[in-house]
Amino acid sequence: MKIRIIPTVMILLGAVVIPASPQSPVAVKGYSISVFAKGVTGKYTAPDSIAVLDDHIYIGYGDNNDPAGLDGKSNQIVEYDRNGHVVYMYAVVGHNDGLKVNPYTHQIWAMQNEDANPNLVIIDPGKHHESVYTFAMAPPHGGGYDDIVFRNGKVYFSASNPALNPNTAPAIVEAKLAGDMVEVTSALDGNATATNVVTGSSVILNLQDPDSMTLTSANDILLDSQGDSELILLHSPGTGNQNVLLIPLSSPFGVPQADDTLFIPSDEGFILVSDTPADTVYMVRKSAFVPGTAYTAAVGAPDSSGVMVGFVGGLDLSFGELTPVVTGLQSPHGMAFVKTHGDDDDQNDGQCKAN
């Protein structure tokens, strides 16, 4: 989803004046925020997705390149240590968006060209080796693929930028590697039947902007349909117990558009969030996080001047409410959690490991 950023103005929300972007971000009481990493002009800019493996953080930089890959340019995926020092850089052909750690192989999966012409690069970080995979067929929804989730030995992609309205094509696909190709089958159609968690009513979906995905603490798939301002929870995919829930989003800044969501895996650590147009990745700390709680990167609804407030909010899955803990961001996108208590197991972006 392309989000328009307007120069600084002030937004009046009730009795509280909220500074609009660009602005130094501000954390609410109990949280703190500082810079973890910044882009480097001429080398890598516009940070987006973030993945965490052991002590290292991988950040995909989009460089504002064509999200359909038609410009033929490459992006950098930059590997950092926990202190924000650059360790290594990987170049991938196309516009990187999805970036996740495979918890079974400890490889990095990078998806390119979320609008069309997708390709997948699998990185072996131990050998600094990249393998490129193309798709066996054109995406049936007419767009590309974006985010990645690993669950119970299977891998799923979000089917982004659909060309259909109503969207009757897959919104989530299950993917399998076959040689140097990727084969996909539908795991959730864009017009699936779902239950609205707020009203309890049954609805027919029309997912126009499938984007980020993650696993909940209950090992369900949570999909963000960004432009639709809603989350889709897919329970027990591919089984007779599969169930779909629609979670409409709300916030103090009006109906927001969300990007990444993460579920806290540990009480000790910090959140990383990329503010793409600010060319900055921030570190959000708290004295003690509550494992299982969810945080979402989002942008509030534009006011009459077209200004939107970027923020990170605590997510209530039962009602879709986002309660801001950081405001003053421009357009936050990628999120990840980094443990700091000495547990060096694969952290996988706050995703739950498969049972």
Side-chain angles (χ1 to χ4, degrees), residues 21 116 142 152 154 283 347:
S21 304
N152 292 0
K154 297 180 179 180
M283 177 169 52
Q347 300 182 51

Side-chain angles (χ1 to χ4, degrees), residues 25-28 31-33 251-253 256-262 264 271-275 282-285 289 294-300 309-315 321-336:
V26 178
V28 302
Y31 294 82
S32 65
I33 185 167
S251 80
F253 307 115
Q257 292 186 7
D259 205 294
D260 274 17
T261 293
L262 68 80
I264 300 297
I271 294 172
L272 292 177
V273 56
S274 63
D275 193 354
Y282 292 102
M283 177 169 52
V284 179
R285 289 189 176 272
F289 285 95
Y295 293 86
T296 297
V299 174
V309 178
F311 67 99
V312 173
L315 170 64
E321 295 177 352
L322 293 176
T323 302
V325 299
V326 172
T327 58
L329 299 168
Q330 293 186 40
S331 182
H333 285 250
M335 297 183 75

Side-chain angles (χ1 to χ4, degrees), residues 296-317:
T296 297
V299 174
D303 68 358
S304 58
S305 301
V307 176
M308 297 176 284
V309 178
F311 67 99
V312 173
L315 170 64
D316 183 341
L317 277 176

